[in-house]
Amino acid sequence: MERPRLKSIIVQRAGSQVIICRRALERVYLDDPTGSVATLLQVLAEGRHTVGELPGALSERGVSVSDAEVSAALAHLDGLEVLADADGDDRLDEDVRRRHQSNLRFYDLFASLQRSSADIHTAVARARVLLVGAGGLGSGVLQALAGLGVGEIVLVDDDIVEVKNLARQFVYGLSALGRPKVLAASDWVAGYSPGTRVTPVNRRVTDVQSIQDLATGCDVVVCAADSPPDLHLMINEVCFAVGIPFVAGGLAYSTLSYWSVWPGRTPCRQCLELNRADEAAELPVELRDGVFIDPPRVNRATGPVAQILSGLMAMEAMRYVTHTDPPVAAAAYNVIELADGMTTSRSSWSRHPKCLLCDGAG
């Protein structure tokens, strides 16, 4: 028998109303002229009683209700997303509960009487992620995924650790200099979180088939690399073939951006390229000749910058894994302007009628 528990949220009373602080900036007001709602919430905050025991517990406090009334009240509160299963964490090993306590409490935001925070953690622990790139963004994503307890990460890169990496790639230390990044990163994860297994792949991905071989059996792809130039399109094609989403991001000048694709459900990366081609065709002739001065590439990603973006990319990937809430960057550039007061914006793109991938996906 389930034991419903009020989530760790603040409840206030104001006259004949109960105010539930469901989020830091969100309030839910419930009419409570008799005080029975407040009493029910007090009992639920204790998390000691099964559903069948609640009428008796309320009766002891002077509130007489039927089983049907309790069931209706619980259904309403569960719909407000303020209840969880008090026994949910007990389904996990004690060591797991201790290590992932803060993760579990974050999952409380999305838990319900039907799906506990432990259930969400279990989905993460069973996940297999293909992470392309172990540099500034990739190493940060790797750390975030390991901290969440992702079960397996297939890590692909062909670089070695250099001194210049240490300013922003915190998974590496001085002892890793000269080593392949995937091997050094794998060793770091092994020492940090034995619950996460890293499969290191020390090579550069250059074609669709090699990416598909790596992505098969994965739940999501995170692209934290920007070469070869058509890498995003290759991953896009692979994700349609194997039926999984992917997340990507990058830094241009002072602009951070990340986006994702859910094959068959959202417009894809190929749609974006076709839309861009249409827009370019409408430009004045003098703007079609390319850049006048093409400067050498420089890397402006400091440690904090890389951590911001890699954290956002990891969270988007986990939305696809856990289905706690809809992906926020599906077919949309989520942008943070670092040199403009950290302003944010979102720019979505539409499905292109000539995209054969989306057309084939229905």
Side-chain angles (χ1 to χ4, degrees):
M1 180 75 70
E2 67 181 14
R3 285 192 305 129
R5 171 181 59 82
L6 184 69
K7 294 179 182 179
S8 182
I9 54 179
I10 294 173
V11 178
Q12 299 173 314
R13 294 195 66 181
S16 62
Q17 286 188 317
V18 169
I19 306 170
I20 300 177
C21 304
R22 194 168 62 169
R23 302 282 191 272
L25 302 177
E26 183 179 284
R27 305 289 186 269
V28 176
Y29 295 82
L30 301 178
D31 291 330
D32 186 26
T34 66
S36 59
V37 174
T39 303
L40 174 61
L41 292 174
Q42 283 182 320
V43 172
L44 291 172
E46 297 172 356
R48 295 189 295 108
H49 302 283
T50 66
V51 173
E53 294 169 346
L54 285 175
L58 289 168
S59 178
E60 292 175 357
R61 303 189 186 202
V63 177
S64 178
V65 291
S66 66
D67 290 348
E69 289 172 323
V70 167
S71 295
L74 292 177
H76 182 66
L77 292 172
D78 198 32
L80 294 176
E81 301 177 344
V82 298
L83 296 184
D85 181 357
D87 297 317
D89 286 7
D90 294 338
R91 299 174 191 141
L92 300 173
D93 291 340
E94 185 178 353
D95 289 344
V96 173
R97 292 200 304 269
R98 283 201 301 262
R99 182 180 183 99
H100 293 283
Q101 185 179 87
S102 60
N103 292 333
L104 290 166
R105 300 294 69 83
F106 174 76
Y107 298 144
D108 282 350
L109 295 172
F110 311 101
S112 67
L113 294 181
Q114 291 72 44
R115 192 186 192 202
S116 69
S117 296
D119 293 331
I120 298 172
H121 172 79
T122 299
V124 174
R126 291 174 177 170
R128 190 168 188 255
V129 178
L130 171 59
L131 176 54
V132 182
L137 292 182
S139 60
V141 171
L142 177 76
Q143 289 180 306
L145 297 182
L148 290 170
V150 168
E152 181 179 0
I153 302 168
V154 181
L155 181 63
V156 187
D157 202 302
D158 68 336
D159 283 345
I160 63 171
V161 181
E162 302 177 70
V163 171
K164 65 181 182 180
N165 302 145
L166 304 184
R168 67 187 183 280
Q169 299 175 24
F170 304 134
V171 76
Y172 309 119
L174 290 172
S175 61
L177 292 175
R179 295 190 66 201
K181 285 185 175 179
V182 295
L183 298 182
S186 178
D187 288 347
W188 180 89
V189 173
Y192 168 78
S193 177
T196 297
R197 182 173 69 258
V198 174
T199 300
V201 181
N202 186 27
R203 72 168 184 260
R204 179 182 173 87
V205 291
T206 57
D207 60 90
V208 169
Q209 187 57 56
S210 65
I211 299 172
Q212 185 164 333
D213 291 342
L214 295 168
T216 300
C218 291
D219 300 289
V220 63
V221 178
V222 179
C223 182
D226 55 8
S227 64
D230 57 349
L231 178 59
H232 288 164
L233 288 175
M234 289 192 293
I235 293 177
N236 188 71
E237 183 178 340
V238 165
C239 287
F240 269 88
V242 300
I244 60 175
F246 80 104
V247 180
L251 168 67
Y253 296 97
S254 60
T255 302
L256 292 176
S257 63
Y258 70 103
W259 48 271
S260 67
V261 166
W262 199 347
R265 302 198 188 193
T266 70
C268 73
R269 178 70 189 199
Q270 183 65 53
C271 290
L272 175 63
E273 295 301 321
L274 292 169
N275 285 324
R276 284 176 170 173
D278 290 347
E279 293 170 1
E282 297 176 359
L283 291 173
V285 175
E286 60 270 20
L287 296 180
R288 301 181 196 173
D289 296 333
V291 297
F292 177 60
I293 297 176
D294 191 7
R297 291 188 60 185
V298 296
N299 194 319
R300 296 181 174 86
T302 66
V305 167
Q307 286 184 307
I308 290 170
L309 185 53
S310 59
L312 292 171
M313 291 169 63
M315 289 188 70
E316 180 76 348
M318 288 301 96
R319 291 185 185 99
Y320 285 111
V321 167
T322 63
H323 301 289
T324 51
D325 53 331
V328 301
Y333 267 90
N334 280 13
V335 175
I336 303 171
E337 295 289 354
L338 299 173
D340 190 18
M342 295 294 287
T343 57
T344 61
S345 63
R346 185 176 186 274
S347 177
S348 60
W349 68 84
S350 60
R351 180 170 174 173
H352 196 282
K354 294 183 180 178
C355 178
L356 298 180
L357 288 172
C358 287
D359 184 60

